[in-house]
Amino acid sequence: MSNGKVPKWRKTLYEDNGYPDNYTPPECFLAAIEKNKNLLLYSLWECFSGAAEVGKEMSVVIIFWCCYKFLKTDFLQPETLLVTMLGLLVVGCTMFISRVRKVTFAGLLAGIKTIFLFTIIGFALSPVLYKLTDTISTDTIHSMALSSLLIHLLTSDYGMYAPIVSWQISLNAAVFSTVCLASRFDHHLSAFSLLCLSVFSFLLVPLSRPLLPSPLLSSLLLASAALSLLSCISTPQLCLALLSLATVQIACPVMFHRLQADKMTIHGPWDEAVIFTAPQ
């Protein structure tokens, strides 16, 4: 109270108006309620595009699993897999250089050194990898590998921020599953080719996201390749993968888009105060 007059109440911070901190006039309480403040609504196309990012990573995991099964049954030779990855790597580097046009010779040389160093270290460690878990049963190894791949899918970066997203955990989980699966081979070259495939699939492919076509098109191509490879292994696994991809890429975005209309958020005087600086 100043000069016998009660000051007008204002919702301000660090200013003594003569009212308790938690005071709000009755006539201002309901008037200050705001519904769906700063609510972001996504179009159906955006929902399908976001789901396609998840579907792409699922398809990459399925392709990785199929290559492991093909190497295990000698349906695919490790030399063939290595040559195929080398060809895809050359094509990808060519596309990257043609699009970016800012690659210096020093940067290109550093990339070649990194690839060469990884190849030498991976080839040197592959004799240890394929003998690493001889005393552990194959069922246990497969369970550990599949659990790690699920963690990889949960923590991958799909273009949106979330507390669970961590590319470090995602990549480490994928590498751990590769080490587990590589220990089931009878020759170190197969273990080395699977290790290279892991780095190619879970490190280089996510980094090449800007070079890929639209998410829906690339997701469709990867899903077709994954299901085609899986059809040569097991029909039940094919049906399960088809159901999972259809759920993630069709059912989930449609449900999310329809449920947006039912979302309701309420903001009012009970919200935490935010410091506001008036323009000078």
Side-chain angles (χ1 to χ4, degrees), residues 82-220:
L82 290 173
V83 171
T84 303
M85 286 188 292
L86 180 61
L88 293 175
L89 184 61
V90 171
V91 172
C93 290
T94 304
M95 292 176 59
F96 178 78
I97 294 174
S98 62
R99 286 194 177 188
V100 176
R101 300 183 184 277
K102 294 181 180 179
V103 180
T104 61
F105 178 76
L108 184 61
L109 185 61
I112 294 175
K113 287 182 178 179
T114 302
I115 295 174
F116 182 75
L117 182 63
F118 166 77
T119 303
I120 296 299
I121 295 177
F123 190 79
L125 293 178
S126 58
V128 180
L129 291 180
Y130 88 103
K131 291 291 185 180
L132 192 60
T133 58
D134 283 346
T135 58
I136 304 176
S137 65
T138 301
D139 292 338
T140 303
I141 291 296
H142 285 173
S143 300
M144 294 169 58
L146 291 178
S147 300
S148 299
L149 289 175
L150 286 177
I151 295 175
H152 164 75
L153 290 175
L154 289 175
T155 57
S156 292
D157 183 9
Y158 299 112
M160 295 186 66
Y161 173 77
I164 198 175
V165 172
S166 174
W167 69 267
Q168 296 92 342
I169 296 178
S170 177
L171 182 59
N172 286 329
V175 172
F176 176 75
S177 66
T178 304
V179 173
C180 292
L181 296 176
S183 63
R184 299 292 93 183
F185 290 126
D186 298 328
H187 193 268
H188 73 92
L189 189 58
S190 299
F192 173 68
S193 63
L194 190 70
L195 183 63
C196 293
L197 178 63
S198 175
V199 175
F200 182 84
S201 302
F202 303 125
L203 179 61
L204 297 181
V205 170
L207 291 177
S208 63
R209 184 180 297 173
L211 300 178
L212 298 176
S214 64
L216 292 176
L217 179 58
S218 56
S219 177
L220 180 61

Side-chain angles (χ1 to χ4, degrees), residues 37-99:
K37 182 180 179 181
N38 300 325
L39 180 63
L40 179 60
L41 297 178
Y42 296 93
S43 64
L44 186 60
W45 177 263
E46 291 175 330
C47 294
F48 278 117
S49 299
E53 296 292 344
V54 183
K56 284 194 298 183
E57 198 64 29
M58 292 176 61
S59 300
V60 169
V61 170
I62 294 173
I63 293 174
F64 175 78
W65 173 257
C66 292
C67 291
Y68 161 73
K69 297 294 288 186
F70 290 153
L71 289 172
K72 183 68 176 174
T73 57
D74 292 331
F75 185 78
L76 175 66
Q77 298 300 319
E79 296 86 354
T80 305
L81 181 60
L82 290 173
V83 171
T84 303
M85 286 188 292
L86 180 61
L88 293 175
L89 184 61
V90 171
V91 172
C93 290
T94 304
M95 292 176 59
F96 178 78
I97 294 174
S98 62
R99 286 194 177 188

